[in-house]
Amino acid sequence: MKRRKFLKNASLTGVGLAVGTAVTSCNEQVEDKSIASKENPESKAVLPVVVATWHVIDATAKAMEVIESGGSALDAVELGCKIEEANEKGQSVGKGGLPDREGNVTLDACIMDKNGNCGAVLYLKDIKHAVSVARKVMEDTPHVMLAGEGAKQFALESGFEAEDLLTEASKKAWEKWKVESKYKPIINIENHDTIGMLAVDKNGDVSGACTTSGLAYKMNGRVGDSPIIGSGLFVDNEVGGAVATGLGEEVVKTVGSFLIVELMRQGKSPQEACEEAIGRIVNKPGKDYKDFQVGYIAVNKKGETGCYSIHQWFSMTKFQDGVNEQIQSHFFNKS
Ligand code: GLY
């Protein structure tokens, strides 16, 4: 079961859900423990490793294939993310992404390499592979970010093809949304999700990328955390990397991915660092985290991994040591 549907079926009102072999519901917190033994971030310092937000087995498989055939972590995360960007069934990334409230599908993406170089595109229209345009920004321009019309112009000049990203299914969903047009920027946990991917290759080099169509039915012009280096993604080749999914506004306010990498630099495990970053969000005075989801994944240079979210039902896909598997995340809100 994939990302948006996964969350939809698992609303906080408590609908049961099958996750791999673990069948759980909001009332069966004990199931979370049984999954926990699978995810002991201290247990595996094995390279290479690829991790990604949500259930994206095909994407992590592609990334590992790239690494196994001698490719870099950077190639791996780009090609892995492209799998989801091309997957029209995924309504939160690339082609088929849900549009803003005016019907525009706009993509945000970024990428970061082992040397600390980075590139990003914001509010990119009509170009499916936003992550590849972000890489081109990194490699072929003196800039880090290109937005809107300029990003599209650059993509077209770089040889990317323009296409309509609004599929029939996404158009239908938008038309249904328009009936009520709830104009609230408050996002519940089923509203959107980003694909973020981190890889450590055979040389021990770290890279990361993330890509999204952002919040469904967002205001025209809205940009989230995903193209913001330090918020949606951060990589430091001396330490590791982190990537975020969920309500970008809350990730940006705490510069979450940079925070996680810095916490790992100070000696925290990826798991501890993700938990502290979620803590920064939920412990803010007056913050009602019940209405939105944020999830983080992280990897350190040794190949240890972590993931943590505010609410249940976040998951990470990890390909390591010959096993490509979905791992259910631990989470903060047990109420
Ligand atoms: N995390 C994706 C977004 O908020 O747009």
Side-chain angles (χ1 to χ4, degrees):
M1 195 178 298
K2 291 220 175 172
R3 304 171 311 278
R4 192 179 302 277
K5 197 164 163 203
F6 181 86
L7 276 178
K8 209 166 195 163
N9 287 354
S11 77
L12 287 176
T13 53
V15 181
L17 173 70
V19 183
T21 52
V23 179
T24 183
S25 79
C26 291
N27 297 328
E28 292 169 350
Q29 304 290 340
V30 67
E31 285 293 338
D32 181 51
K33 289 190 186 129
S34 70
I35 299 167
S37 59
K38 233 177 137 186
E39 176 53 358
N40 177 353
E42 260 67 57
S43 67
K44 271 194 185 177
V46 175
L47 298 182
V49 60
V50 175
V51 286
T53 53
W54 306 106
H55 185 204
V56 289
I57 295 278
D58 293 346
T60 47
K62 180 70 193 176
M64 189 55 85
E65 182 192 313
V66 170
I67 289 174
E68 290 299 350
S69 58
S72 65
L74 184 66
D75 293 333
V77 294
E78 181 196 356
L79 295 180
C81 285
K82 282 178 78 173
I83 296 285
E84 288 303 313
E85 287 177 337
N87 173 11
E88 294 184 22
K89 288 191 185 136
Q91 289 186 304
S92 55
V93 176
K95 183 146 182 151
L98 289 171
D100 67 17
R101 53 194 55 176
E102 292 171 26
N104 310 295
V105 180
T106 66
L107 306 183
D108 299 332
C110 73
I111 194 161
M112 198 163 182
D113 75 8
K114 64 177 180 180
N115 297 317
N117 297 310
C118 45
V121 286
L122 298 69
Y123 196 83
L124 176 68
K125 283 186 191 167
D126 301 329
I127 310 284
K128 175 169 62 190
H129 289 306
V131 71
S132 299
V133 185
R135 182 168 177 177
K136 283 257 173 221
V137 172
M138 175 175 81
E139 292 181 339
D140 296 354
T141 80
H143 306 303
V144 166
M145 296 172 135
L146 289 179
E149 276 307 308
K152 181 175 169 184
Q153 182 186 332
F154 170 72
L156 294 174
E157 285 168 5
S158 302
F160 291 85
E161 272 181 27
E163 62 185 298
D164 187 359
L165 301 181
L166 189 66
T167 56
E168 271 311 304
S170 292
K171 194 171 171 202
K172 252 189 203 158
W174 170 55
E175 274 161 359
K176 192 169 165 201
W177 174 82
K178 276 200 294 182
V179 174
E180 287 196 24
S181 293
K182 284 210 176 123
Y183 213 70
K184 274 203 324 187
I186 304 299
I187 305 316
N188 69 32
I189 62 160
E190 21 184 290
N191 196 298
H192 72 102
D193 31 272
T194 300
I195 297 305
M197 187 177 282
L198 303 162
V200 191
D201 62 26
K202 289 176 179 174
N203 297 327
D205 289 324
V206 189
S207 292
C210 66
T211 182
T212 187
S213 52
L215 211 52
Y217 321 125
K218 59 197 172 188
M219 287 177 71
N220 182 17
R222 182 263 187 192
V223 171
D225 62 309
S226 299
I228 310 295
I229 296 295
S231 290
L233 169 74
F234 197 70
V235 168
D236 184 320
N237 204 40
E238 286 183 5
V239 180
V243 69
T245 185
L247 184 60
E249 281 74 1
E250 297 305 323
V251 175
V252 168
K253 286 175 198 167
T254 50
V255 199
S257 294
F258 180 74
L259 171 64
I260 290 169
V261 173
E262 289 307 301
L263 290 167
M264 292 195 292
R265 190 194 306 280
Q266 289 162 22
K268 295 218 185 276
S269 70
Q271 185 63 32
E272 289 168 332
C274 288
E275 289 181 21
E276 184 160 337
I278 289 292
R280 295 282 174 100
I281 297 173
V282 298
N283 292 324
K284 270 198 186 150
K287 178 59 62 187
D288 191 356
Y289 56 81
K290 298 224 161 68
D291 288 334
F292 62 84
Q293 173 72 304
V294 172
Y296 290 111
I297 64 170
V299 65
N300 66 16
K301 199 141 170 85
K302 292 186 277 186
E304 295 166 338
T305 61
C307 56
Y308 199 64
S309 55
I310 299 177
H311 302 288
Q312 200 169 12
W313 308 116
F314 176 50
S315 66
M316 170 173 82
T317 305
K318 173 157 83 169
F319 203 149
Q320 186 179 45
D321 214 9
V323 181
N324 190 13
E325 63 182 345
Q326 184 186 17
I327 292 164
Q328 190 67 19
S329 178
H330 293 280
F331 55 94
F332 174 80
N333 182 19
K334 301 289 197 299
S335 63

